[in-house]
């Protein structure tokens, strides 16, 4: 068999969903359902699904820095607003097309994020969180102070759309697929990064930053990288968002404190440090909130329509889910699904050795890599002293 035929056969095998685990097959099914959703739901829900996809992108951007490195940000809306307003202003004031303004807005967001993030990342714990909380407040006051340019609390006029057609339904469907393509692209990039060696270091920083530094790695470099990646994703989503029929460059959609809080809730409810969890919970929470706003059923005891107390009900349900699923939806589904499969197959999860062992702890992996590097360096230096993890009579690696 030729090399080309072998490569083609290998690619076909890689794309065969039967080769993947059940959770990955479930992910493929979820993406397929999202891909055909516009043909399964009414037009108004196509709009709602588009909003949900953008909200999921915001949640994923938060998770990549806060969920993985443990640097909890309370003001991630700063990134969304910088990206959205930058793209809108470039379009409205200079007449540049969205295909130009969106990439420029991403660069502006990364620069602005680094100006805030690099000094803030020198801090730890509540001090870092406080800085990120104050940043959007300062930005909002700048928008109000220079309202002639930024539109104040009302925001700016809608910029030119990326996709626009004479038929409203066609426009909504086209913009849905634009959001869906962006969602899939962001999901793929963030999964690739967080499943790489860099992602292992991110997790190790969250577990014990001092141990990572002692291993010979520079935690600040990785935290800045995670922060810049998060800013780029948030800025990209915000920039595209304002050029669609579902988004506008105004503080209530991009900069309000509630936006940052809802993003945090989505990522935690989905499962911090999973990316997929943030995406799933982001879509679910936004759709659930929008659905409650349409329910006209009157609650008998309080004689009030559900739509009139939708925020209260949304908060209560979210609170219950956070208590019921402290590890997040994804971890609950994976562990629960694994236990169910074991029961179906007649396995004992406590004693059965047929299942794959759990992944190594990220911090342990970093330490092991450091030890190997030290051992290799000692092998090149005659008479080198044993490493800090080696006893005088222990084995030399």
């Amino acid at each position: 068999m030729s090399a080309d035929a072998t490569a083609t056969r290998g690619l076909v095998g890689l794309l065969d969903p039967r080769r993947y685990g059940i959770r990955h097959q479930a992910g493929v099914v979820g993406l397929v359902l999202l891909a055909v959703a516009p043909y399964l739901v009414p037009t108004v829900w196509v709009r709602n699904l588009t909003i949900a996809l953008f909200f999921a992108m915001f949640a994923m951007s938060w998770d990549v820095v806060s969920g993985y490195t443990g640097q909890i940000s309370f003001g991630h809306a700063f990134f969304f607003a910088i990206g959205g307003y930058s793209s809108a202003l470039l379009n409205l004031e200079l007449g540049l097309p969205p295909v130009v303004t969106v990439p420029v807005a991403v660069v502006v967001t990364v620069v602005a994020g680094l100006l805030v993030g690099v000094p803030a990342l020198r801090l730890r714990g509540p001090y870092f969180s406080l800085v990120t909380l104050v940043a959007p407040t300062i930005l909002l006051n700048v928008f109000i102070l220079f309202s002639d340019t930024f539109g104040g609390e009302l925001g700016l006029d809608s910029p030119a759309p990326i996709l626009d057609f004479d038929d409203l339904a066609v426009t909504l469907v086209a913009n849905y697929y634009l959001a869906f393509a962006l969602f899939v692209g962001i999901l793929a990039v963030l999964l690739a990064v967080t499943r790489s060696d860099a992602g292992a270091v991110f997790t190790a920083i969250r577990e014990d930053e001092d141990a990572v530094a002692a291993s010979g790695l520079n935690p600040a470099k990785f935290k800045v990288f995670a922060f810049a990646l998060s800013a780029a994703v948030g800025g990209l989503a915000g920039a595209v968002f304002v050029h669609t029929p579902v988004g506008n460059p105004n503080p209530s959609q991009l900069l309000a404190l509630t936006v940052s809080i809802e993003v945090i809730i989505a990522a935690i409810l989905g499962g911090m440090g999973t990316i997929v969890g943030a995406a799933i919970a982001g879509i679910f929470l936004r759709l659930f909130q929008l659905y409650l706003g349409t329910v006209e059923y009157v609650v008998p005891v309080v004689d009030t329509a559900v739509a009139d107390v939708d925020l209260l009900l949304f908060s209560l349900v979210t609170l219950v889910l956070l208590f019921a699923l402290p590890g997040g939806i994804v971890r609950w589904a994976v562990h629960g699904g694994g236990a169910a499969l074991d029961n179906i197959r007649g396995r004992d999860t406590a004693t059965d050795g047929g299942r794959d062992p759990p992944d190594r702890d990220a911090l342990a992996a970093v330490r092991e890599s450091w030890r190997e590097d030290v051992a290799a360096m000692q092998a090149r230096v005659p008479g080198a002293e044993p490493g800090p993890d080696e006893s005088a009579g222990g084995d030399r690696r």
Side-chain angles (χ1 to χ4, degrees), residues 68-346:
Y68 274 86
T69 68
Q71 310 300 307
I72 304 300
S73 169
F74 286 140
H76 233 59
F78 178 82
F79 297 146
F80 318 148
I82 291 291
Y85 271 80
S86 297
S87 186
L89 283 172
L90 289 171
N91 176 256
L92 294 173
E93 300 296 330
L94 301 181
L96 298 175
V99 69
V100 175
T101 63
V102 170
V104 173
V106 173
V107 175
V108 172
T109 305
V110 172
V111 172
L114 291 177
L115 289 177
V116 174
V118 170
L121 287 171
R122 297 178 181 274
L123 307 174
R124 295 193 186 184
Y127 301 101
F128 171 83
S129 299
L130 182 61
V131 171
T132 60
L133 178 63
V134 171
T137 304
I138 295 175
L139 187 62
L140 178 59
N141 281 275
V142 170
F143 287 172
I144 295 174
L145 182 62
F146 299 98
S147 57
D148 291 342
T149 302
F150 297 103
E153 294 181 339
L154 298 178
L156 300 171
D157 295 331
S158 297
I162 296 177
L163 299 174
D164 189 25
F165 301 92
D166 294 334
D167 188 288
L168 178 59
V170 175
T171 299
L172 289 175
V173 171
N175 280 275
Y176 171 81
Y177 281 112
L178 172 64
F180 177 68
L182 188 63
F183 169 81
V184 173
I186 288 175
L187 178 64
V189 170
L190 294 186
L191 286 177
V193 172
T194 55
R195 270 57 175 177
S196 67
D197 292 340
V201 177
F202 291 165
T203 306
I205 290 172
R206 182 187 65 201
E207 299 299 326
D208 192 336
E209 184 174 338
D210 292 331
V212 173
S215 298
L217 298 172
N218 184 358
K221 179 179 68 175
F222 286 94
K223 289 195 293 185
V224 168
F225 171 59
F227 204 78
L229 178 62
S230 178
V233 171
L236 174 61
V240 177
F241 179 69
V242 300
H243 290 284
T244 66
V246 302
N248 290 294
N250 62 63
S252 64
Q253 284 194 319
L254 294 174
L255 195 56
L257 179 60
T258 53
V259 176
S260 294
I261 293 175
E262 289 173 353
V263 163
I264 296 173
I265 292 173
I268 294 176
L269 181 59
M272 288 180 61
T274 61
I275 300 298
V276 174
I280 294 174
I283 294 174
F284 166 74
L285 286 181
R286 182 54 75 210
L287 289 179
F288 179 63
Q289 188 177 30
L290 293 171
Y291 169 74
L292 288 178
T294 65
V295 177
E296 298 179 357
Y297 173 75
V298 177
V299 182
V301 178
V302 295
D303 194 28
T304 304
V306 171
D308 294 334
V309 290
D310 59 334
L311 183 59
L312 174 61
L313 292 175
F314 171 77
S315 301
L316 290 175
V317 172
T318 302
L319 187 62
V320 171
L321 288 174
L322 288 173
F323 275 111
L325 306 173
I329 293 174
V330 168
R331 291 187 176 91
W332 169 79
V334 170
H335 295 162
L341 285 176
D342 286 334
N343 290 332
I344 292 173
R345 295 169 181 172

Side-chain angles (χ1 to χ4, degrees), residues 197 199-209 211-212 215 217 358-373 389 397:
D197 292 340
V201 177
F202 291 165
T203 306
I205 290 172
R206 182 187 65 201
E207 299 299 326
D208 192 336
E209 184 174 338
V212 173
S215 298
L217 298 172
D359 293 336
R360 293 179 303 169
D361 176 75
L363 183 56
V366 172
R367 286 173 174 165
E368 183 178 338
S369 176
W370 171 66
R371 291 170 185 160
E372 291 174 352
D373 291 341
D389 291 307
R397 291 178 178 266

